[in-house]
Amino acid sequence: MLIEKLSLTCDRLLSHRQLACCQSYCGIPLDGMKMLIYTNMDIEHKPLLLTGHHGEISAMTFGKGSRPVLLCSASADYVIIWDIELCQKRTKEGKVAAGTVIGSLLGEVVYLSFCFSDERVAACSGATVYILSSKRHEVISTLTSHLGPLTSAEFCPWNKDILVTTSEDRTFKVWDLKTEAVCYQSFVLSASPLLSVFFLEENRHLITGSTDGQLWCFSLPDDHKCHLVTKMDLQKMEKRHQMHRGTVSDQAGLTEQSDVDEVETSKPALRMALCSSFIDTSIEHKKDNSWLFIGSSDGLYVVDLATSELLNALYFKDYPNLSITMAGSWSISPGLDNSMVFLVSSLFTPCVVLLDLRLRDLERTWACGEGFSVFPSSPLLLESPLNAEFKKKKPEHPKKKGGIKERPLVFHSKVKSSGYTSAPRSIMFSPKTNIQKNPSSKTANKNTGLLLRDYPADCAAPTIPHIHLSIVNKPVHCLQYSGDGKQILCGLGDSSVFLYKSSLTGNPTVYTGHDKPVSSVSWSLNRQWWLSASEDQSLRIWTHGSPEPAIIMGDSLFSKPIRSAQFYYLDKFLLLASGPSLYLYLYNVDITRDDIKRYQQRSVIKLAKCITTTSATDITALSAINDFFSYIVVVCGSDRSIQVFDMNKGSVASALPDAHSRAVHCITQNKGSMFSTQTPDSYNLFLTGAVTDGVKIWDLRTLRCVRRYENHLNRCHPCSSAISPCGRFIASGSEDNCAYVYDIRSSRYLHRLQKHSDTVLSVTFNPATPELLTGTLDGKLRLFQSSSGALLSHDTSAAVHSIPNMTA
């Protein structure tokens, strides 16, 4: 994929010199004090020779504009601006090409950069950065604050008065050029010097990289108070990438013997650039602006910033035709015709090469396996486990030899009372004379409740504290709202379950019976019953108004604790995970009891299917859609894998190894609610969370991670996450006594909900109104409302479907 367009042997080593490259030209020092300017599209054409420096050229850079193309070069004596097209014209006329001196005797300049209007130039010399005018000999500002030599300086693309500098003192600083003061100074980020900085204009982030391959992405808001968005390590990303590639090769039978003599080298982030926007109609994805090119000493790395994953690594050693094996400096620029251009100097030899990369040839690393959808694309198979039903008992009619057939003594189903027990009538007849016919009254009554109050699609995230409630001094392991948003289940660490109104007013109904902490709770779709699963290897189904469970599943049915359980396939099945097995049960709830045989359970359960994970690893979490028919069940294993079960076939359809660095403890699908409508593709998104590895959002259609969220703190506790009914926000628990709310489209958090008394273990959104409920490690509940939804009524009675056989 890397094509060498130019290889130039120099008279001296240029390994740590800043070289210049843009879309049309590239600039290389010659004999120390001269420069050769090549045209990228026509390398064979005679290069432009520029002279004017009296000292050795230490840095070069092209301007940001396309007309005119400006070049800035620096040596110990001068800093000079060159108009390339004007210089070419003067050379053709036989005249000497000349530039404009904008700075003198600034010392050894190691880095140059233009602002985005090409009006100013930043020159780094020692621990000082000079802001120069690009049109005349003038030093606009002199900025000194770093404790070590500067390594780079870049102007902010969306604010011309902001400059960011990096230094060998391992910090970066944000400068306000109007006041010439430091707006923000980072902490010491690494044990190694920071080398480069790059801006992401789309989401207003900045990225800085160090000598040891560490990358930090910070947000840069208007108040210039930078917040860490994510941290990446090139070596760790490379190992994960190689492990994934090795797994794919194993599955394809193409495993090769690794080199024994392979030496691990450091991966300095010498230069960074964003992949130029392109549209490729030959592949499924179009225009991806989250690809970051990182030029390092051993090759080029392509990183997906949304997921903090390495997409591809182009090593010099894999291209034997290249004239370079190790890089000392990089210059990166978007090229023509969906390409990228790289000017690279060799680390150990006096050689410079110009490389070209066609973006269409850049293979993106996709997850193994085919894509899926939560919506069925085919009817049920005849042998599908989802066709399972209870066997219907045929009525037995005893054969009689003859005689008179038994007949009922009374031929009516109801017998009118004799009236002996009622009071005597004083008025025998009273006619109704004012009858008003209202033929539409029945229709109106039938339609009452069919009108849904829509979940506000454009409301702000719920961040305003509304209610703070202390229930018990035990962890709140799980929370779930009923489908109508009127009730909330709380599974606690003291083996009990509390049932509250969604307003958290009044005393809760307490359900006890488990012997160990409750691991999961789940409402049925019709809200007539709900289940609770516990670490005591039992599952219970409860009904309203009864303190005793209608179904108890225990008695050594399961050898290991039930990690997760829920209703599935429009309440037809119970779906639960225990050990390495996924169980699918038919059930029939019968709440009638015989007073004599009071403890005899009349409800019936029947195993429809038991499926084991591919690697026989214990299941740590599962999720499936119950609101509509779906064949897909997503499970996570203790081996850090994600496995997709096709319940139509009753087998594992695909497995994604090493989805996280630790075992996933929480998985949440985007299920929406009956109060909101999302695009069909949105329901293919799901979240997974793992200790020390943040939260990832995945797309079933490609089985790959599409974004990562890691601003929250999750080091040891299984903090849960949730997606809002509108599909715009993600909430996550955290161990810093806060809950975090993310915009699903950005990796940086929107809000940090503080003042919790302990670790936030559980979070859940109300499906009917923009509210967020959190549960903590010490048994506290906090309810947050939206600023735009605070005036909404808690009464959701008008939003309840009046469907037969459903109760609130």
Side-chain angles (χ1 to χ4, degrees), residues 551-577:
I551 295 179
I552 300 178
M553 298 175 65
D555 298 330
S556 302
L557 271 178
F558 312 106
S559 59
K560 293 188 177 182
I562 300 174
R563 294 300 179 190
S564 186
Q566 67 169 79
F567 292 94
Y568 175 58
Y569 213 66
L570 295 183
D571 289 349
K572 181 179 179 180
F573 297 100
L574 296 177
L575 187 68
L576 58 99

Side-chain angles (χ1 to χ4, degrees), residues 85-252:
E85 295 178 354
L86 182 60
C87 290
Q88 287 177 335
K89 182 179 178 181
R90 289 179 64 88
T91 302
K92 288 180 180 180
E93 295 173 353
K95 300 178 181 179
V96 177
T100 303
V101 176
I102 61 172
S104 302
L105 303 176
L106 299 181
E108 185 180 0
V109 177
V110 298
Y111 196 88
L112 292 168
S113 67
F114 278 91
C115 69
F116 279 77
S117 62
D118 289 346
E119 296 177 352
R120 291 175 292 180
V121 176
C124 299
S125 176
T128 305
V129 56
Y130 297 94
I131 308 300
L132 310 174
S133 171
S134 63
K135 298 179 181 180
R136 54 187 176 274
H137 192 295
E138 178 188 1
V139 177
I140 300 174
S141 303
T142 302
L143 309 176
T144 303
S145 179
H146 280 286
L147 302 178
L150 293 171
T151 54
S152 69
E154 294 289 346
F155 288 90
C156 178
W158 61 87
N159 189 338
K160 63 179 181 179
D161 294 318
I162 295 297
L163 180 78
V164 176
T165 57
T166 61
S167 169
E168 292 184 10
D169 64 8
R170 299 161 293 167
T171 67
F172 72 86
K173 296 181 188 294
V174 180
W175 301 83
D176 186 345
L177 298 181
K178 288 183 177 179
T179 61
E180 300 184 9
V182 176
C183 303
Y184 177 82
Q185 177 178 344
S186 74
F187 50 88
V188 175
L189 297 178
S190 172
S192 302
L194 301 184
L195 290 181
S196 54
V197 64
F198 183 75
F199 287 95
L200 302 174
E201 186 174 4
E202 184 178 358
N203 42 19
R204 299 201 170 186
H205 290 172
L206 67 89
I207 301 176
T208 182
S210 66
T211 309
D212 58 352
Q214 304 285 328
L215 301 170
W216 293 265
C217 180
F218 287 86
S219 64
L220 184 57
D222 293 335
D223 60 358
H224 309 135
K225 304 299 180 183
C226 297
H227 299 281
L228 181 64
V229 176
T230 184
K231 180 185 175 183
M232 295 168 280
D233 188 326
L234 272 182
Q235 286 188 342
K236 291 182 179 179
M237 290 192 292
E238 181 188 39
K239 289 180 180 179
R240 287 199 301 266
H241 178 71
Q242 290 175 349
M243 287 176 61
H244 177 70
R245 291 287 296 271
T247 305
V248 175
S249 299
D250 290 342
Q251 292 177 353

Side-chain angles (χ1 to χ4, degrees), residues 244-309:
H244 177 70
R245 291 287 296 271
T247 305
V248 175
S249 299
D250 290 342
Q251 292 177 353
L254 300 175
T255 308
E256 298 180 357
Q257 183 72 24
S258 60
D259 294 333
V260 180
D261 299 333
E262 188 173 347
V263 179
E264 184 174 305
T265 60
S266 62
K267 304 187 183 301
L270 300 175
R271 184 60 65 91
M272 296 177 288
L274 203 62
C275 174
S276 61
S277 300
F278 70 99
I279 298 179
D280 192 348
T281 56
S282 63
I283 50 180
E284 293 181 359
H285 60 279
K286 295 182 179 180
K287 190 180 179 182
D288 198 325
N289 290 325
S290 64
W291 292 8
L292 183 72
F293 287 105
I294 303 172
S296 189
S297 57
D298 59 347
L300 181 70
Y301 294 85
V302 186
V303 175
D304 189 347
L305 292 174
T307 61
S308 301
E309 294 294 337

Side-chain angles (χ1 to χ4, degrees), residues 216-420:
W216 293 265
C217 180
F218 287 86
S219 64
L220 184 57
D222 293 335
D223 60 358
H224 309 135
K225 304 299 180 183
C226 297
H227 299 281
L228 181 64
V229 176
T230 184
K231 180 185 175 183
M232 295 168 280
D233 188 326
L234 272 182
Q235 286 188 342
K236 291 182 179 179
M237 290 192 292
E238 181 188 39
K239 289 180 180 179
R240 287 199 301 266
H241 178 71
Q242 290 175 349
M243 287 176 61
H244 177 70
R245 291 287 296 271
T247 305
V248 175
S249 299
D250 290 342
Q251 292 177 353
L254 300 175
T255 308
E256 298 180 357
Q257 183 72 24
S258 60
D259 294 333
V260 180
D261 299 333
E262 188 173 347
V263 179
E264 184 174 305
T265 60
S266 62
K267 304 187 183 301
L270 300 175
R271 184 60 65 91
M272 296 177 288
L274 203 62
C275 174
S276 61
S277 300
F278 70 99
I279 298 179
D280 192 348
T281 56
S282 63
I283 50 180
E284 293 181 359
H285 60 279
K286 295 182 179 180
K287 190 180 179 182
D288 198 325
N289 290 325
S290 64
W291 292 8
L292 183 72
F293 287 105
I294 303 172
S296 189
S297 57
D298 59 347
L300 181 70
Y301 294 85
V302 186
V303 175
D304 189 347
L305 292 174
T307 61
S308 301
E309 294 294 337
L310 183 65
L311 295 176
N312 216 327
L314 308 178
Y315 302 107
F316 294 133
K317 64 180 182 180
D318 295 334
Y319 298 89
N321 295 327
L322 297 183
S323 305
I324 187 171
T325 56
M326 295 290 286
S329 65
W330 287 74
S331 181
I332 307 176
S333 173
L336 300 174
D337 299 328
N338 286 334
S339 66
M340 296 292 289
V341 181
F342 310 95
L343 188 62
V344 189
S345 66
S346 177
L347 182 61
F348 300 119
T349 59
C351 177
V352 176
V353 296
L354 180 66
L355 304 177
D356 183 80
L357 174 65
R358 298 290 174 179
L359 296 177
R360 293 178 185 274
D361 299 333
L362 185 62
E363 295 180 0
R364 189 166 188 172
T365 305
W366 296 93
C368 58
E370 58 179 327
F372 300 93
S373 174
V374 293
F375 298 103
S377 58
S378 60
L380 285 175
L381 302 174
L382 293 177
E383 64 277 9
S384 173
L386 300 178
N387 280 325
E389 297 286 350
F390 283 112
K391 291 183 178 179
K392 295 182 179 180
K393 293 183 179 180
K394 297 181 180 179
E396 297 181 359
H397 300 287
K399 296 181 180 180
K400 296 186 178 181
K401 295 180 180 180
I404 302 173
K405 295 182 179 180
E406 295 183 359
R407 293 182 179 274
L409 187 62
V410 179
F411 297 97
H412 302 285
S413 59
K414 293 183 180 180
V415 180
K416 191 176 181 180
S417 173
S418 62
Y420 290 128

Side-chain angles (χ1 to χ4, degrees), residues 69-86:
V69 178
L70 300 180
L71 172 69
C72 183
S73 59
S75 62
D77 52 353
Y78 298 129
V79 177
I80 304 176
I81 294 289
W82 311 81
D83 187 329
I84 299 300
E85 295 178 354
L86 182 60

Side-chain angles (χ1 to χ4, degrees), residues 762-804:
S762 305
V763 292
T764 185
F765 285 95
N766 190 321
T769 59
E771 293 179 342
L772 174 66
L773 183 65
T774 62
T776 62
L777 186 64
D778 60 351
K780 305 291 194 304
L781 296 178
R782 296 198 75 184
L783 184 66
F784 295 87
Q785 290 186 333
S786 170
S787 57
S788 56
L791 301 178
L792 294 177
S793 171
H794 286 283
D795 182 15
T796 58
S797 59
V800 180
H801 274 293
S802 57
I803 301 176

